[in-house]
């Protein structure tokens, strides 16, 4: 079932335990209601804590020149996977986070107060890595195989869509629950046969002798390529914190669009210097992803998210019905539209 796992949280536990008092340090009292206009005034001393994965946000902000101009104090905390980030939200240890679309489902199932405030979209950025020696060259060949399975992550939906496309169900394979960070080593040690992986983890894994992957034409339609910036109802109820998060959305969109327009610099700063990959790796990854766009927070996006919910439910992996619309704070649509216009970015894929 769709259980809330603690996979990967141990690496961030110390931060969560020490950061609670620092999170959302705007003034107490005068709480903002969920339907109130988002404030713009950021009092001096306001601080937000930003959950990052793979240093992607902080490198983009720094390389684009937006980090130093943030009009509030900030702290980055690095996590691996949505389950650990959701734990941090529950501990009131982070104010804003970047994670895959499944965290919205996970939050709804658990009855948490996490909200989608910005959407980003690329082409399908996931790949199916195959263990050395495993004879898997198509989705149909997954039948009878051991597949790495990280519940509560975008990779979970990717696996379920893969099985559905191949005409398989969960009983036709062995789903092996584990943390995302464990996928590469368990493939190398022949504990599983295949696992979905995001970049840059996938590129590092493919340096393993004998490692292969499913062809892109087999898996290209298995993901909408959507991920989100999230905040929490609690953080957004504080006027100072909400204003800072509003400003962060604008800076984040500007930074990601800078990466669209400055491929060589982004490859050097992120893929090479931050992630230890080669220039060629960076070019291949960006070619596969395509430019990043920023969908509007509207009924179309809600319907796309509901489809993801339905995929998980159809596989019997959802313990109770949930409505995707409840995960979105649509007040941020106006913020996203303004930021996209200012950056010269786009809302839709070509």
């Amino acid at each position: 079932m769709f259980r809330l796992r603690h996979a990967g949280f141990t690496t961030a536990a110390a931060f969560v335990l020490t950061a609670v008092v620092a999170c959302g340090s705007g003034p107490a009292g005068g709480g903002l209601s969920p339907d109130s206009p988002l404030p713009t005034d950021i009092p001096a001393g306001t601080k937000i804590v930003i959950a990052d994965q793979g240093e992607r946000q902080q490198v983009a902000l720094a390389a684009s020149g937006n980090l130093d101009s943030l009009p509030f104090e900030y702290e980055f905390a690095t996590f691996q996977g949505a389950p650990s980030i959701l734990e941090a939200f529950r501990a009131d240890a982070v104010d804003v986070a970047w994670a895959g679309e499944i965290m919205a489902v996970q939050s709804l199932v658990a009855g948490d107060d996490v909200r989608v405030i910005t959407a980003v979209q690329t082409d399908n950025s996931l790949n199916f890595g195959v263990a050395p020696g495993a004879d898997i060259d198509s989705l149909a060949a997954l039948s009878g195989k051991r597949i790495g399975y990280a519940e509560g992550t975008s990779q979970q939906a990717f696996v379920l869509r893969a099985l559905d496309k191949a005409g398989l169900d969960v009983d036709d394979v062995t789903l092996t629950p584990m943390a995302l960070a464990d996928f590469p080593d368990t493939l190398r040690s022949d504990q599983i046969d295949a696992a979905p992986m995001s970049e840059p983890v996938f590129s590092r894994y493919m340096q393993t002798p004998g490692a292969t992957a499913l062809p892109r034409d087999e898996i290209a339609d298995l993901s909408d390529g959507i991920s989100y910036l999230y905040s929490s109802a609690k953080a957004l109820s504080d006027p100072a914190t909400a204003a800072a998060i509003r400003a962060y959305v604008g800076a984040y969109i500007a930074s990601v669009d800078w990466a669209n327009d400055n491929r060589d610099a982004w490859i050097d700063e992120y893929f090479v210097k931050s992630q230890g990959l080669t220039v060629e790796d960076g070019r291949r990854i960006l070619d596969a992803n395509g430019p990043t766009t920023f969908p509007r927070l509207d009924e179309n996006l809600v319907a796309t998210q509901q489809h993801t919910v339905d995929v998980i439910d159809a596989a019997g992996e959802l313990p109770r019905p949930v409505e995707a619309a409840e995960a979105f704070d649509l007040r941020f649509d106006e913020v996203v539209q303004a930021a996209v216009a200012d950056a010269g970015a786009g809302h839709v894929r070509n």
Side-chain angles (χ1 to χ4, degrees), residues 300-318:
N300 293 322
L301 183 60
V302 171
T304 298
Q305 184 66 32
Q306 186 64 50
H307 176 68
T308 299
V309 172
D310 295 341
V311 166
I312 298 172
D313 192 23
E317 296 283 289
L318 204 64

Side-chain angles (χ1 to χ4, degrees), residues 3 20 71 75 90 111 121 132 162 179 181 183 194 207 272-273 276 303 324 329 343:
R3 296 176 298 274
V20 172
E75 180 178 351
R90 290 184 188 128
Q121 187 171 22
F183 282 175
Q207 297 171 5
V272 177
K273 293 179 180 177
D329 188 331

Side-chain angles (χ1 to χ4, degrees), residues 52-60 98 199-200 266 270-271:
D52 206 354
Q53 297 192 66
E55 299 183 335
R56 185 174 290 267
Q57 292 175 83
Q58 51 192 312
V59 173
W98 172 71
E199 294 289 3
W266 176 236
Y270 184 68
F271 293 105

Side-chain angles (χ1 to χ4, degrees), residues 97-123:
W98 172 71
E101 83 278 20
I102 297 303
M103 196 171 89
V105 185
Q106 189 181 26
S107 173
L108 289 170
V109 168
D112 294 321
D113 67 354
V114 178
R115 300 289 184 268
V116 172
I117 59 172
T118 302
V120 295
Q121 187 171 22
T122 65
D123 296 335

Side-chain angles (χ1 to χ4, degrees), residues 119 250 253-254 257 293-295 334-348:
I253 289 175
D257 193 59
T293 52
F294 307 90
E334 181 180 352
V335 180
V336 170
Q337 288 189 71
V340 166
D342 288 345
H347 288 297
V348 298

